[in-house]
Amino acid sequence: GAVVSQHPSRVICKSGTSVKIECRSLDFQATTMFWYRQFPKQSLMLMATSNEGSKATYEQGVEKDKFLINHASLTLSTLTVTSAHPEDSSFYICSAIGTVAGGPDTQYFGPGTRLTVL
Amino acid sequence: GQSLEQPSEVTAVEGAIVQINCTYQTSGFYGLSWYQQHDGGAPTFLSYNALDGLEETGRFSSFLSRSDSYGYLLLQELQMKDSASYFCAVTNNYGQNFVFGPGTRLSVLP
């Protein structure tokens, strides 16, 4: 149980285009989903926290108009990187907490999406 | 502010025991978690401590001292597959805010 999927796993796009990444909890209801960004050999940096049906809470320094987050249901959250630039190239990982064993302090991570902007 | 500190690298041989320390400075501390991440993969949950003391899960154990703002992950009977990065993470509020440490890269040698 507690499986989180992400799609796509890898995406290459041209500068200026928008990219949408989906995060799904497959076998549980995710009351909260988190979006992280990780640069090579660095730690995970929390970008935003989203609760189903409400606006996402963005961390300081993260542009909410550039990184659009929609948590439309208890099993789906999407991150859209708008007008992507090469500096947005990174590993984007979502995680979810919800109605599973381990309680609200156990995050279940998706496999990540590697974004490369040319 | 919030900050966590971990050693950047640790090296050990198969069968050995390794301890990875984590110290933190945060507001509203709720619990300390540990995650493992292999190169190119996503983090996977290892353990969680909300109360002082030792939590044991198979070969992995985790310890927390809230008064010292300190915890550690203990890996026993090391195997080659344990080579990975290990992150401690602090929960500040009830499941609503996670801050990750910089990570410790563990290399297990034959």
Side-chain angles (χ1 to χ4, degrees):
Chain A
V3 177
V4 176
S5 70
Q6 264 184 260
H7 178 79
S9 59
R10 187 181 297 268
V11 59
I12 301 172
C13 68
K14 291 183 179 180
S15 185
T17 60
S18 294
V19 174
K20 179 185 281 189
I21 303 170
E22 291 188 349
C23 177
R24 294 181 184 273
S25 57
L26 300 184
D27 51 3
F28 68 101
Q29 293 185 326
T31 50
T32 304
M33 286 184 167
F34 303 90
W35 286 95
Y36 294 87
R37 181 166 53 183
Q38 186 178 35
F39 292 106
K41 299 191 184 302
Q42 294 189 22
S43 187
L44 286 79
M45 298 300 296
L46 180 65
M47 299 175 66
T49 302
S50 73
N51 295 292
E52 184 265 339
S54 61
K55 289 184 178 180
T57 301
Y58 290 80
E59 294 300 301
Q60 193 172 9
V62 178
E63 301 174 59
K64 61 180 181 181
D65 293 330
K66 180 170 182 62
F67 299 99
L68 302 178
I69 292 172
N70 184 1
H71 195 156
S73 73
L74 283 172
T75 59
L76 174 64
S77 176
T78 60
L79 167 68
T80 301
V81 183
T82 62
S83 187
H85 290 283
E87 57 265 31
D88 298 324
S89 298
S90 187
F91 192 45
Y92 292 86
I93 312 172
C94 72
S95 72
I97 57 176
T99 57
V100 290
D105 294 290
T106 301
Q107 294 184 82
Y108 297 94
F109 284 86
T113 297
R114 189 160 302 281
L115 170 64
T116 302
V117 184
L118 304 176
Chain B
Q2 302 167 67
S3 68
L4 291 86
E5 291 188 6
Q6 298 178 238
S8 58
E9 293 183 14
V10 173
T11 302
V13 297
E14 273 188 299
I17 299 173
V18 153
Q19 177 173 313
I20 299 174
N21 298 322
C22 174
T23 57
Y24 57 87
Q25 285 187 315
T26 65
S27 58
F29 175 86
Y30 190 82
L32 184 72
S33 304
W34 288 92
Y35 291 83
Q36 178 192 62
Q37 185 181 30
H38 286 97
D39 287 345
T44 55
F45 173 79
L46 292 178
S47 69
Y48 171 74
N49 295 69
L51 303 175
D52 285 356
L54 190 69
E55 293 282 342
E56 298 181 68
T57 309
R59 295 189 296 116
F60 296 173
S61 303
S62 59
F63 172 83
L64 174 66
S65 169
R66 296 173 70 110
S67 59
D68 295 324
S69 298
Y70 162 77
Y72 66 72
L73 178 70
L74 190 73
L75 299 87
Q76 303 181 71
E77 300 174 19
L78 281 176
Q79 301 175 9
M80 297 291 289
K81 66 179 182 179
D82 297 329
S83 293
S85 292
Y86 292 84
F87 296 90
C88 59
V90 166
T91 313
N92 284 6
N93 296 305
Y94 190 69
Q96 291 299 309
N97 191 2
F98 294 84
V99 178
F100 278 77
T104 298
R105 187 166 187 85
L106 171 64
S107 298
V108 180
L109 305 178

